[in-house]
């Protein structure tokens, strides 16, 4: 079975631009979570979606938004990019709002 | 809110030696605890998890962890380390519905030949 997939793998953007990251969960999984991992740190929770509804939000500014589609794939959008948004963005899926999450390989975003 | 502390930023062990990575958590209710491993440039792989029941949990790749409520700890152990275990290890704590999983800062493991 395919695991969690994310696209693109790498991305370079300029300050002030907008970016969209995509995630496809494991087949049958209805919950998707997004995390930001800055170099040298642990992942930080951004959002959780379940059945297309937001179920949790971390301490991130409103420039960050996400949505989940009927096929359970998800997009993370970041507006007005800052240098500090440079990070590895991880998507994780689970069969429900519990507990065992499976992570994708991540999207490496560099903001210049 | 829950939080996780991994006191050791970097640990070096010789191949074949035993390993213990420390994790302390803060959470008012019964925690759900996890250990993940991350190789360079990769995503996170779940090693093991604790939800309830037996406080000694077995995971993949020969890892185990013990939940000690009195010490608020969930330390990861392996009796004999292999060179392929070199990676970054993250401890995490979550609420029952997992809508805010908190990770520690990680411990980087180096394995000497």
């Amino acid at each position: 079975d395919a695991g969690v997939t994310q696209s693109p793998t790498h991305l370079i953007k300029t300050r002030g631009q907008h970016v969209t990251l995509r995630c496809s969960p494991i087949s049958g999984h209805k919950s998707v979570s997004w995390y930001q991992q800055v170099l040298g740190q642990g992942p930080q929770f951004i959002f959780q979606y379940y059945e297309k509804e937001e179920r949790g939000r971390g301490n991130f500014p409103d420039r960050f938004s996400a949505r989940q589609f009927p096929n359970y794939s998800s997009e993370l959008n970041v507006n007005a990019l800052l240098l500090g948004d440079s990070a590895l963005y991880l998507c994780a899926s689970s069969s429900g709002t519990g507990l065992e999450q499976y992570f994708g390989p991540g999207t490496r975003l560099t903001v210049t | 809110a829950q939080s996780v502390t991994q006191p050791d930023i970097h640990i070096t062990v010789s191949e074949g030696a035993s390993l213990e990575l420390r994790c302390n958590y803060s959470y008012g209710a019964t925690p759900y605890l996890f250990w993940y491993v991350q190789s360079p440039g990769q995503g996170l792989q779940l090693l093991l998890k604790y939800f309830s029941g037996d406080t000694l949990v077995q995971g993949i790749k020969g890892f185990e962890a013990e939940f000690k409520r009195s010490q608020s700890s969930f330390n990861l152990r392996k009796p004999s380390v292999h060179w392929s275990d070199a990676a970054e290890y993250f401890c995490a704590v979550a609420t029952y519905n997992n809508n805010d999983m908190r990770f520690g800062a990680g411990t980087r493991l180096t394995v000497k030949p």
Side-chain angles (χ1 to χ4, degrees):
Chain A
D1 285 340
V4 177
T5 59
Q6 293 185 242
S7 62
T9 304
H10 296 90
L11 203 52
I12 300 175
K13 291 285 190 178
T14 304
R15 276 178 297 175
Q17 286 188 318
H18 162 270
V19 69
T20 297
L21 310 181
R22 295 177 175 83
C23 171
S24 292
I26 291 172
S27 177
H29 283 191
K30 299 181 179 180
S31 177
V32 169
S33 297
W34 287 95
Y35 295 83
Q36 181 196 64
Q37 185 178 20
V38 173
L39 195 62
Q41 297 182 19
Q44 280 196 286
F45 172 73
I46 310 176
F47 288 110
Q48 184 191 65
Y49 277 78
Y50 176 70
E51 290 280 16
K52 302 180 290 295
E53 290 188 4
E54 183 183 302
R55 292 299 183 95
R57 173 187 285 254
N59 188 25
F60 279 81
D62 291 343
R63 299 185 296 107
F64 288 77
S65 63
R67 55 180 176 168
Q68 186 177 33
F69 298 99
N71 67 353
Y72 303 110
S73 67
S74 177
E75 283 182 355
L76 175 70
N77 295 284
V78 187
N79 292 323
L81 285 167
L82 303 174
L83 294 179
D85 295 331
S86 295
L88 181 68
Y89 289 84
L90 296 164
C91 172
S93 75
S94 61
S95 56
T97 52
L99 299 167
E100 191 159 334
Q101 295 191 26
Y102 296 85
F103 283 80
T107 293
R108 172 71 63 186
L109 172 65
T110 301
V111 182
T112 63
Chain B
Q2 66 273 29
S3 66
V4 176
T5 302
Q6 293 182 247
D8 305 304
I9 296 173
H10 183 206
I11 283 182
T12 300
V13 300
S14 297
E15 190 169 16
S18 64
L19 171 71
E20 183 168 27
L21 303 182
R22 296 183 290 165
C23 172
N24 293 99
Y25 69 89
S26 173
Y27 185 53
T30 300
Y32 295 103
L33 296 160
F34 307 82
W35 275 99
Y36 285 88
V37 61
Q38 186 178 38
S39 298
Q42 307 276 328
L44 300 173
Q45 182 182 22
L46 179 66
L47 287 175
L48 47 78
K49 61 186 182 290
Y50 172 78
F51 294 163
S52 65
D54 192 347
T55 56
L56 184 63
V57 294
Q58 303 295 322
I60 62 172
K61 303 185 180 186
F63 286 94
E64 66 177 25
E66 186 170 13
F67 170 59
K68 293 185 178 180
R69 184 185 298 275
S70 62
Q71 298 177 20
S72 298
S73 69
F74 188 57
N75 293 349
L76 181 71
R77 300 193 294 249
K78 186 170 185 178
S80 177
V81 170
H82 187 262
W83 64 266
S84 61
D85 293 325
E88 189 90 19
Y89 291 80
F90 294 96
C91 181
V93 61
T95 59
Y96 77 96
N97 61 359
N98 208 25
N99 63 357
D100 185 7
M101 180 180 275
R102 301 291 179 98
F103 285 82
T107 296
R108 183 162 61 93
L109 174 65
T110 298
V111 180
K112 293 190 303 184

